[in-house]
Amino acid sequence: MRFINILLASLLGAVILAGCGVNGKPKSAQNTGDVTDAASGSQSGDAEKERKLAPDFTLADMNGKAHTLSKYQGKVVLIDFWASWCPPCRAEIPHLVKIYEKYKSDGLVILGVGLDKKENLATISKELGITYTVLVDDRSVTGRLYDVKGIPRTLMLDRKGRIAADHTGFAEGMESELEGEVKKLLSEK
């Protein structure tokens, strides 16, 4: 009986870690800024003042080059926490590539923070045609700084390095919401 309980707890943990809730729908997004809240459709002009500065970190990319988050201030930054074994992550990435290619010349930076072995990240990056920067995390950023409990987790940072939106999970159709948030943040001065 103890084995069954351990097995069930492990399966439940895997579902939670994948960022999916009931019916495979993502956990609702939490907005911390004045980007439109998809659930309520509302905007708060004062919410920009309430945005919190994203914790700074430095991680190496796939080639070993160090990237420090605070060096991207002045740009809109989308941070995507993902892993090669996560189906919702793999579904979200092609949409992120399209958004990146469309808006990188306007000041969008995407940092894919991979929670996996470097070899696995390299394989999936090539397979999915990732053109943005992929960083390798040793769980110091996801665990200690950002307390990531489910993936994919997508954070949107404004040009001042503050968290404007925070989404956990991905379902088809969310890509238009993500693009809308990117456009809104890029329009802010």
PDB file of all heavy atoms in Angstrom, residues 29-59:
ATOM      1  N   ALA A  29      -3.111  32.878 -15.164  1.00  0.00           N
ATOM      2  CA  ALA A  29      -1.997  33.805 -15.139  1.00  0.00           C
ATOM      3  C   ALA A  29      -2.195  34.820 -14.031  1.00  0.00           C
ATOM      4  O   ALA A  29      -3.301  35.216 -13.723  1.00  0.00           O
ATOM      5  CB  ALA A  29      -1.891  34.526 -16.479  1.00  0.00           C
ATOM      6  N   GLN A  30      -1.081  35.222 -13.473  1.00  0.00           N
ATOM      7  CA  GLN A  30      -1.102  36.285 -12.476  1.00  0.00           C
ATOM      8  C   GLN A  30      -0.433  37.490 -13.100  1.00  0.00           C
ATOM      9  O   GLN A  30       0.682  37.398 -13.566  1.00  0.00           O
ATOM     10  CB  GLN A  30      -0.325  35.814 -11.249  1.00  0.00           C
ATOM     11  CG  GLN A  30       0.213  36.936 -10.395  1.00  0.00           C
ATOM     12  CD  GLN A  30       1.136  36.422  -9.340  1.00  0.00           C
ATOM     13  OE1 GLN A  30       0.696  35.979  -8.314  1.00  0.00           O
ATOM     14  NE2 GLN A  30       2.421  36.490  -9.579  1.00  0.00           N
ATOM     15  N   ASN A  31      -1.141  38.582 -13.163  1.00  0.00           N
ATOM     16  CA  ASN A  31      -0.554  39.805 -13.695  1.00  0.00           C
ATOM     17  C   ASN A  31      -0.136  40.692 -12.551  1.00  0.00           C
ATOM     18  O   ASN A  31      -0.875  40.866 -11.597  1.00  0.00           O
ATOM     19  CB  ASN A  31      -1.560  40.555 -14.573  1.00  0.00           C
ATOM     20  CG  ASN A  31      -1.441  40.167 -16.009  1.00  0.00           C
ATOM     21  OD1 ASN A  31      -0.344  39.920 -16.497  1.00  0.00           O
ATOM     22  ND2 ASN A  31      -2.565  40.087 -16.692  1.00  0.00           N
ATOM     23  N   THR A  32       1.048  41.252 -12.673  1.00  0.00           N
ATOM     24  CA  THR A  32       1.558  42.125 -11.638  1.00  0.00           C
ATOM     25  C   THR A  32       1.765  43.525 -12.162  1.00  0.00           C
ATOM     26  O   THR A  32       2.368  44.336 -11.499  1.00  0.00           O
ATOM     27  CB  THR A  32       2.888  41.573 -11.093  1.00  0.00           C
ATOM     28  OG1 THR A  32       3.788  41.432 -12.175  1.00  0.00           O
ATOM     29  CG2 THR A  32       2.688  40.246 -10.410  1.00  0.00           C
ATOM     30  N   GLY A  33       1.246  43.812 -13.341  1.00  0.00           N
ATOM     31  CA  GLY A  33       1.421  45.138 -13.915  1.00  0.00           C
ATOM     32  C   GLY A  33       0.163  45.589 -14.615  1.00  0.00           C
ATOM     33  O   GLY A  33      -0.919  45.081 -14.351  1.00  0.00           O
ATOM     34  N   ASP A  34       0.296  46.531 -15.537  1.00  0.00           N
ATOM     35  CA  ASP A  34      -0.886  47.054 -16.201  1.00  0.00           C
ATOM     36  C   ASP A  34      -1.133  46.413 -17.547  1.00  0.00           C
ATOM     37  O   ASP A  34      -1.907  46.912 -18.324  1.00  0.00           O
ATOM     38  CB  ASP A  34      -0.811  48.574 -16.327  1.00  0.00           C
ATOM     39  CG  ASP A  34       0.308  49.033 -17.233  1.00  0.00           C
ATOM     40  OD1 ASP A  34       1.151  48.216 -17.603  1.00  0.00           O
ATOM     41  OD2 ASP A  34       0.338  50.209 -17.575  1.00  0.00           O
ATOM     42  N   VAL A  35      -0.505  45.290 -17.821  1.00  0.00           N
ATOM     43  CA  VAL A  35      -0.831  44.519 -19.009  1.00  0.00           C
ATOM     44  C   VAL A  35      -2.215  43.933 -18.761  1.00  0.00           C
ATOM     45  O   VAL A  35      -2.552  43.555 -17.653  1.00  0.00           O
ATOM     46  CB  VAL A  35       0.223  43.408 -19.226  1.00  0.00           C
ATOM     47  CG1 VAL A  35      -0.153  42.519 -20.371  1.00  0.00           C
ATOM     48  CG2 VAL A  35       1.600  44.008 -19.443  1.00  0.00           C
ATOM     49  N   THR A  36      -3.029  43.838 -19.790  1.00  0.00           N
ATOM     50  CA  THR A  36      -4.395  43.357 -19.636  1.00  0.00           C
ATOM     51  C   THR A  36      -4.417  41.981 -18.991  1.00  0.00           C
ATOM     52  O   THR A  36      -3.703  41.076 -19.400  1.00  0.00           O
ATOM     53  CB  THR A  36      -5.101  43.274 -21.005  1.00  0.00           C
ATOM     54  OG1 THR A  36      -5.070  44.573 -21.581  1.00  0.00           O
ATOM     55  CG2 THR A  36      -6.526  42.798 -20.866  1.00  0.00           C
ATOM     56  N   ASP A  37      -5.264  41.811 -17.988  1.00  0.00           N
ATOM     57  CA  ASP A  37      -5.454  40.535 -17.319  1.00  0.00           C
ATOM     58  C   ASP A  37      -6.436  39.725 -18.147  1.00  0.00           C
ATOM     59  O   ASP A  37      -7.577  40.123 -18.329  1.00  0.00           O
ATOM     60  CB  ASP A  37      -6.004  40.780 -15.918  1.00  0.00           C
ATOM     61  CG  ASP A  37      -6.201  39.507 -15.123  1.00  0.00           C
ATOM     62  OD1 ASP A  37      -6.080  38.413 -15.693  1.00  0.00           O
ATOM     63  OD2 ASP A  37      -6.479  39.615 -13.916  1.00  0.00           O
ATOM     64  N   ALA A  38      -5.979  38.592 -18.655  1.00  0.00           N
ATOM     65  CA  ALA A  38      -6.803  37.791 -19.556  1.00  0.00           C
ATOM     66  C   ALA A  38      -8.076  37.294 -18.882  1.00  0.00           C
ATOM     67  O   ALA A  38      -9.110  37.174 -19.508  1.00  0.00           O
ATOM     68  CB  ALA A  38      -5.997  36.605 -20.086  1.00  0.00           C
ATOM     69  N   ALA A  39      -7.998  36.996 -17.595  1.00  0.00           N
ATOM     70  CA  ALA A  39      -9.165  36.453 -16.912  1.00  0.00           C
ATOM     71  C   ALA A  39     -10.260  37.504 -16.749  1.00  0.00           C
ATOM     72  O   ALA A  39     -11.433  37.229 -16.945  1.00  0.00           O
ATOM     73  CB  ALA A  39      -8.760  35.907 -15.543  1.00  0.00           C
ATOM     74  N   SER A  40      -9.876  38.738 -16.402  1.00  0.00           N
ATOM     75  CA  SER A  40     -10.890  39.749 -16.151  1.00  0.00           C
ATOM     76  C   SER A  40     -11.050  40.731 -17.295  1.00  0.00           C
ATOM     77  O   SER A  40     -12.036  41.450 -17.360  1.00  0.00           O
ATOM     78  CB  SER A  40     -10.534  40.528 -14.882  1.00  0.00           C
ATOM     79  OG  SER A  40      -9.364  41.288 -15.101  1.00  0.00           O
ATOM     80  N   GLY A  41     -10.034  40.790 -18.183  1.00  0.00           N
ATOM     81  CA  GLY A  41     -10.071  41.731 -19.285  1.00  0.00           C
ATOM     82  C   GLY A  41      -9.842  43.163 -18.834  1.00  0.00           C
ATOM     83  O   GLY A  41     -10.029  44.092 -19.586  1.00  0.00           O
ATOM     84  N   SER A  42      -9.447  43.335 -17.575  1.00  0.00           N
ATOM     85  CA  SER A  42      -9.294  44.685 -17.047  1.00  0.00           C
ATOM     86  C   SER A  42      -7.848  45.143 -17.096  1.00  0.00           C
ATOM     87  O   SER A  42      -6.935  44.350 -17.178  1.00  0.00           O
ATOM     88  CB  SER A  42      -9.798  44.730 -15.608  1.00  0.00           C
ATOM     89  OG  SER A  42      -8.969  43.953 -14.781  1.00  0.00           O
ATOM     90  N   GLN A  43      -7.692  46.462 -17.023  1.00  0.00           N
ATOM     91  CA  GLN A  43      -6.377  47.052 -16.951  1.00  0.00           C
ATOM     92  C   GLN A  43      -6.355  47.989 -15.768  1.00  0.00           C
ATOM     93  O   GLN A  43      -7.351  48.592 -15.420  1.00  0.00           O
ATOM     94  CB  GLN A  43      -6.044  47.864 -18.204  1.00  0.00           C
ATOM     95  CG  GLN A  43      -5.747  47.035 -19.398  1.00  0.00           C
ATOM     96  CD  GLN A  43      -5.257  47.915 -20.548  1.00  0.00           C
ATOM     97  OE1 GLN A  43      -5.532  49.088 -20.618  1.00  0.00           O
ATOM     98  NE2 GLN A  43      -4.526  47.316 -21.435  1.00  0.00           N
ATOM     99  N   SER A  44      -5.192  48.120 -15.177  1.00  0.00           N
ATOM    100  CA  SER A  44      -5.041  49.055 -14.086  1.00  0.00           C
ATOM    101  C   SER A  44      -3.870  49.958 -14.400  1.00  0.00           C
ATOM    102  O   SER A  44      -2.724  49.517 -14.396  1.00  0.00           O
ATOM    103  CB  SER A  44      -4.798  48.286 -12.780  1.00  0.00           C
ATOM    104  OG  SER A  44      -4.406  49.181 -11.775  1.00  0.00           O
ATOM    105  N   GLY A  45      -4.145  51.233 -14.680  1.00  0.00           N
ATOM    106  CA  GLY A  45      -3.089  52.174 -14.998  1.00  0.00           C
ATOM    107  C   GLY A  45      -2.129  52.373 -13.850  1.00  0.00           C
ATOM    108  O   GLY A  45      -0.956  52.646 -14.037  1.00  0.00           O
ATOM    109  N   ASP A  46      -2.611  52.237 -12.601  1.00  0.00           N
ATOM    110  CA  ASP A  46      -1.752  52.399 -11.438  1.00  0.00           C
ATOM    111  C   ASP A  46      -0.927  51.152 -11.162  1.00  0.00           C
ATOM    112  O   ASP A  46       0.028  51.194 -10.387  1.00  0.00           O
ATOM    113  CB  ASP A  46      -2.594  52.718 -10.196  1.00  0.00           C
ATOM    114  CG  ASP A  46      -3.272  54.076 -10.303  1.00  0.00           C
ATOM    115  OD1 ASP A  46      -2.697  54.968 -10.966  1.00  0.00           O
ATOM    116  OD2 ASP A  46      -4.363  54.229  -9.727  1.00  0.00           O
ATOM    117  N   ALA A  47      -1.285  50.042 -11.785  1.00  0.00           N
ATOM    118  CA  ALA A  47      -0.596  48.785 -11.508  1.00  0.00           C
ATOM    119  C   ALA A  47       0.862  48.832 -11.905  1.00  0.00           C
ATOM    120  O   ALA A  47       1.675  48.131 -11.321  1.00  0.00           O
ATOM    121  CB  ALA A  47      -1.299  47.632 -12.217  1.00  0.00           C
ATOM    122  N   GLU A  48       1.229  49.666 -12.894  1.00  0.00           N
ATOM    123  CA  GLU A  48       2.633  49.756 -13.294  1.00  0.00           C
ATOM    124  C   GLU A  48       3.503  50.158 -12.105  1.00  0.00           C
ATOM    125  O   GLU A  48       4.615  49.677 -11.963  1.00  0.00           O
ATOM    126  CB  GLU A  48       2.812  50.747 -14.445  1.00  0.00           C
ATOM    127  CG  GLU A  48       4.251  50.810 -14.928  1.00  0.00           C
ATOM    128  CD  GLU A  48       4.437  51.751 -16.094  1.00  0.00           C
ATOM    129  OE1 GLU A  48       3.461  52.139 -16.738  1.00  0.00           O
ATOM    130  OE2 GLU A  48       5.603  52.074 -16.345  1.00  0.00           O
ATOM    131  N   LYS A  49       2.967  51.011 -11.247  1.00  0.00           N
ATOM    132  CA  LYS A  49       3.716  51.448 -10.070  1.00  0.00           C
ATOM    133  C   LYS A  49       3.919  50.312  -9.076  1.00  0.00           C
ATOM    134  O   LYS A  49       4.823  50.357  -8.260  1.00  0.00           O
ATOM    135  CB  LYS A  49       3.001  52.614  -9.401  1.00  0.00           C
ATOM    136  CG  LYS A  49       2.922  53.846 -10.271  1.00  0.00           C
ATOM    137  CD  LYS A  49       2.073  54.908  -9.629  1.00  0.00           C
ATOM    138  CE  LYS A  49       1.854  56.047 -10.616  1.00  0.00           C
ATOM    139  NZ  LYS A  49       0.775  56.929 -10.217  1.00  0.00           N
ATOM    140  N   GLU A  50       3.056  49.295  -9.141  1.00  0.00           N
ATOM    141  CA  GLU A  50       3.108  48.173  -8.210  1.00  0.00           C
ATOM    142  C   GLU A  50       4.036  47.047  -8.671  1.00  0.00           C
ATOM    143  O   GLU A  50       4.258  46.099  -7.934  1.00  0.00           O
ATOM    144  CB  GLU A  50       1.704  47.605  -8.003  1.00  0.00           C
ATOM    145  CG  GLU A  50       0.744  48.601  -7.408  1.00  0.00           C
ATOM    146  CD  GLU A  50      -0.680  48.080  -7.389  1.00  0.00           C
ATOM    147  OE1 GLU A  50      -0.888  46.853  -7.538  1.00  0.00           O
ATOM    148  OE2 GLU A  50      -1.592  48.899  -7.244  1.00  0.00           O
ATOM    149  N   ARG A  51       4.540  47.140  -9.868  1.00  0.00           N
ATOM    150  CA  ARG A  51       5.409  46.081 -10.376  1.00  0.00           C
ATOM    151  C   ARG A  51       6.665  45.958  -9.524  1.00  0.00           C
ATOM    152  O   ARG A  51       7.258  46.945  -9.121  1.00  0.00           O
ATOM    153  CB  ARG A  51       5.806  46.368 -11.821  1.00  0.00           C
ATOM    154  CG  ARG A  51       4.661  46.313 -12.799  1.00  0.00           C
ATOM    155  CD  ARG A  51       5.134  46.659 -14.188  1.00  0.00           C
ATOM    156  NE  ARG A  51       4.021  46.702 -15.121  1.00  0.00           N
ATOM    157  CZ  ARG A  51       4.092  47.188 -16.337  1.00  0.00           C
ATOM    158  NH1 ARG A  51       5.231  47.691 -16.790  1.00  0.00           N
ATOM    159  NH2 ARG A  51       3.038  47.190 -17.118  1.00  0.00           N
ATOM    160  N   LYS A  52       7.077  44.723  -9.303  1.00  0.00           N
ATOM    161  CA  LYS A  52       8.273  44.436  -8.501  1.00  0.00           C
ATOM    162  C   LYS A  52       9.448  44.124  -9.425  1.00  0.00           C
ATOM    163  O   LYS A  52       9.275  43.479 -10.457  1.00  0.00           O
ATOM    164  CB  LYS A  52       8.022  43.231  -7.593  1.00  0.00           C
ATOM    165  CG  LYS A  52       6.818  43.380  -6.688  1.00  0.00           C
ATOM    166  CD  LYS A  52       7.182  44.022  -5.384  1.00  0.00           C
ATOM    167  CE  LYS A  52       6.044  43.982  -4.408  1.00  0.00           C
ATOM    168  NZ  LYS A  52       5.332  45.190  -4.229  1.00  0.00           N
ATOM    169  N   LEU A  53      10.617  44.577  -9.014  1.00  0.00           N
ATOM    170  CA  LEU A  53      11.833  44.309  -9.764  1.00  0.00           C
ATOM    171  C   LEU A  53      12.103  42.802  -9.763  1.00  0.00           C
ATOM    172  O   LEU A  53      12.025  42.149  -8.715  1.00  0.00           O
ATOM    173  CB  LEU A  53      13.014  45.056  -9.137  1.00  0.00           C
ATOM    174  CG  LEU A  53      14.303  45.095  -9.936  1.00  0.00           C
ATOM    175  CD1 LEU A  53      14.102  45.833 -11.263  1.00  0.00           C
ATOM    176  CD2 LEU A  53      15.397  45.788  -9.130  1.00  0.00           C
ATOM    177  N   ALA A  54      12.390  42.256 -10.928  1.00  0.00           N
ATOM    178  CA  ALA A  54      12.697  40.823 -11.029  1.00  0.00           C
ATOM    179  C   ALA A  54      14.039  40.556 -10.364  1.00  0.00           C
ATOM    180  O   ALA A  54      14.987  41.332 -10.547  1.00  0.00           O
ATOM    181  CB  ALA A  54      12.746  40.398 -12.495  1.00  0.00           C
ATOM    182  N   PRO A  55      14.152  39.474  -9.602  1.00  0.00           N
ATOM    183  CA  PRO A  55      15.445  39.146  -8.999  1.00  0.00           C
ATOM    184  C   PRO A  55      16.507  38.950 -10.082  1.00  0.00           C
ATOM    185  O   PRO A  55      16.264  38.292 -11.092  1.00  0.00           O
ATOM    186  CB  PRO A  55      15.174  37.830  -8.262  1.00  0.00           C
ATOM    187  CG  PRO A  55      13.693  37.806  -8.045  1.00  0.00           C
ATOM    188  CD  PRO A  55      13.107  38.526  -9.222  1.00  0.00           C
ATOM    189  N   ASP A  56      17.673  39.539  -9.867  1.00  0.00           N
ATOM    190  CA  ASP A  56      18.752  39.451 -10.843  1.00  0.00           C
ATOM    191  C   ASP A  56      19.424  38.082 -10.752  1.00  0.00           C
ATOM    192  O   ASP A  56      19.473  37.459  -9.690  1.00  0.00           O
ATOM    193  CB  ASP A  56      19.776  40.560 -10.583  1.00  0.00           C
ATOM    194  CG  ASP A  56      20.649  40.842 -11.793  1.00  0.00           C
ATOM    195  OD1 ASP A  56      20.298  40.411 -12.913  1.00  0.00           O
ATOM    196  OD2 ASP A  56      21.687  41.501 -11.614  1.00  0.00           O
ATOM    197  N   PHE A  57      19.924  37.622 -11.865  1.00  0.00           N
ATOM    198  CA  PHE A  57      20.659  36.361 -11.902  1.00  0.00           C
ATOM    199  C   PHE A  57      21.635  36.384 -13.064  1.00  0.00           C
ATOM    200  O   PHE A  57      21.523  37.192 -13.983  1.00  0.00           O
ATOM    201  CB  PHE A  57      19.717  35.151 -12.030  1.00  0.00           C
ATOM    202  CG  PHE A  57      18.900  35.123 -13.295  1.00  0.00           C
ATOM    203  CD1 PHE A  57      19.421  34.615 -14.479  1.00  0.00           C
ATOM    204  CD2 PHE A  57      17.583  35.575 -13.298  1.00  0.00           C
ATOM    205  CE1 PHE A  57      18.659  34.570 -15.651  1.00  0.00           C
ATOM    206  CE2 PHE A  57      16.814  35.537 -14.452  1.00  0.00           C
ATOM    207  CZ  PHE A  57      17.349  35.034 -15.622  1.00  0.00           C
ATOM    208  N   THR A  58      22.596  35.494 -12.991  1.00  0.00           N
ATOM    209  CA  THR A  58      23.529  35.261 -14.092  1.00  0.00           C
ATOM    210  C   THR A  58      23.562  33.770 -14.358  1.00  0.00           C
ATOM    211  O   THR A  58      23.764  32.972 -13.438  1.00  0.00           O
ATOM    212  CB  THR A  58      24.955  35.758 -13.738  1.00  0.00           C
ATOM    213  OG1 THR A  58      24.890  37.162 -13.451  1.00  0.00           O
ATOM    214  CG2 THR A  58      25.924  35.511 -14.875  1.00  0.00           C
ATOM    215  N   LEU A  59      23.318  33.384 -15.604  1.00  0.00           N
ATOM    216  CA  LEU A  59      23.387  31.982 -16.033  1.00  0.00           C
ATOM    217  C   LEU A  59      24.145  31.915 -17.354  1.00  0.00           C
ATOM    218  O   LEU A  59      24.141  32.870 -18.127  1.00  0.00           O
ATOM    219  CB  LEU A  59      21.989  31.397 -16.239  1.00  0.00           C
ATOM    220  CG  LEU A  59      21.138  31.134 -15.007  1.00  0.00           C
ATOM    221  CD1 LEU A  59      19.728  30.718 -15.404  1.00  0.00           C
ATOM    222  CD2 LEU A  59      21.775  30.076 -14.120  1.00  0.00           C
TER     223      LEU A  59
END
